[in-house]
Amino acid sequence: MSVSAPEDIVSFLGCETPEAWLRKAAAELPLLLVDHAQCEKKAASSALQLMFRYPEDIELSTRMSKLAREELRHYEQVVKIMQGRNVSDRKQTASRYASALRDCVRKGEPHRLVDMLIIGAFIEARSCERFARLVPYLDEELAAFYRGLLESEGRHYRNYLKLAKERSPVDITDRIEYVREVEADLIRSPDSEFRFHSGVPA
């Protein structure tokens, strides 16, 4: 059963996930699950870091608190699936994707916060798009699980984007376009390591 990512997410991203990545993911399900679990932990950690860095921003902290709890719940769900398949969690090295996006963050406020929120929106949007694109390649259990994550990932994307727009003193269209080009290049270009957010398998 095929499923599509929400139209606003598809139009927000600069490209679709390449078929080569999807085929690789289907052939490397244990590694996919391990990195998915890692991504959920990192997403929760990023939300908590924003809460600690900007405690005076109550709306931001409240939304990030809810997001962190949801991401940790997703982590628990991934781990449960991993345990059912005898897949052990393990440390992962930092992905090229996350490192390159962090390099986009400007110094000084509010630019730093705005960039971090825009990047958060792209990570959540890409996750949502990949969950949807993966469904036809997966077994029934994983396909159902990933379909179930679409709504929350889409909501996280919209929350990050809304917060970015509200906290910028200027229009962020150009900034979004800049990050969009960087993110799309990471997705379309060859990548030596397979990760949930990696590029085309080298």
Side-chain angles (χ1 to χ4, degrees):
M1 177 181 173
S2 62
V3 63
S4 299
E7 289 186 9
D8 61 327
I9 285 178
V10 174
S11 62
F12 180 73
L13 295 169
C15 69
E16 288 188 339
T17 292
E19 291 291 331
W21 184 91
L22 296 167
R23 292 192 296 270
K24 178 71 171 178
E28 300 281 359
L29 288 182
L31 182 53
L32 179 73
L33 288 169
V34 168
D35 200 57
H36 181 183
Q38 179 89 339
C39 288
E40 299 293 0
K41 288 186 288 186
K42 285 182 177 178
S45 176
S46 295
L48 293 173
Q49 287 175 15
L50 286 172
M51 291 176 66
F52 279 107
R53 186 179 290 274
Y54 305 98
E56 72 285 353
D57 192 329
I58 300 302
E59 182 190 8
L60 175 68
S61 292
T62 300
R63 287 185 181 272
M64 291 300 105
S65 175
K66 292 179 180 178
L67 187 149
R69 292 199 300 274
E70 195 162 21
E71 301 288 19
L72 288 174
R73 176 57 182 154
H74 293 166
Y75 164 73
E76 294 167 4
Q77 292 173 318
V78 178
V79 168
K80 184 177 180 179
I81 292 174
M82 289 167 60
Q83 290 174 332
R85 297 170 182 236
N86 295 316
V87 176
S88 299
D89 201 0
R90 57 185 182 273
K91 290 183 178 179
Q92 294 279 80
T93 56
S95 70
R96 179 189 73 153
Y97 182 87
S99 299
L101 288 180
R102 281 197 301 269
D103 288 342
C104 294
V105 177
R106 294 168 290 179
K107 300 184 185 301
E109 301 295 352
H111 306 302
R112 178 183 176 87
L113 173 57
V114 171
D115 284 353
M116 291 171 68
L117 292 170
I118 291 173
I119 289 168
F122 272 99
I123 292 173
E124 297 291 344
R126 180 59 64 187
S127 296
C128 185
E129 186 259 357
R130 290 206 157 170
F131 287 142
R133 295 290 308 283
L134 276 168
V135 166
Y137 294 81
L138 302 175
D139 58 75
E140 186 175 343
E141 180 190 35
L142 271 183
F145 177 49
Y146 280 7
R147 275 197 300 269
L149 293 177
L150 292 177
E151 180 180 353
S152 60
E153 299 302 311
R155 183 172 64 255
H156 296 168
Y157 146 72
R158 295 180 191 98
N159 282 338
Y160 270 119
L161 191 58
K162 177 177 182 292
L163 289 167
K165 290 177 178 178
E166 292 175 348
R167 276 143 189 80
S168 177
V170 297
D171 184 84
I172 63 173
T173 300
D174 289 346
R175 198 63 191 164
I176 289 173
E177 182 57 34
Y178 168 71
V179 179
R180 177 181 290 124
E181 292 178 3
V182 173
E183 199 271 349
D185 182 64
L186 290 166
I187 294 300
R188 289 186 298 229
S189 60
D191 203 331
S192 60
E193 288 188 304
F194 176 74
R195 294 287 189 269
F196 192 87
H197 292 101
S198 59
V200 178

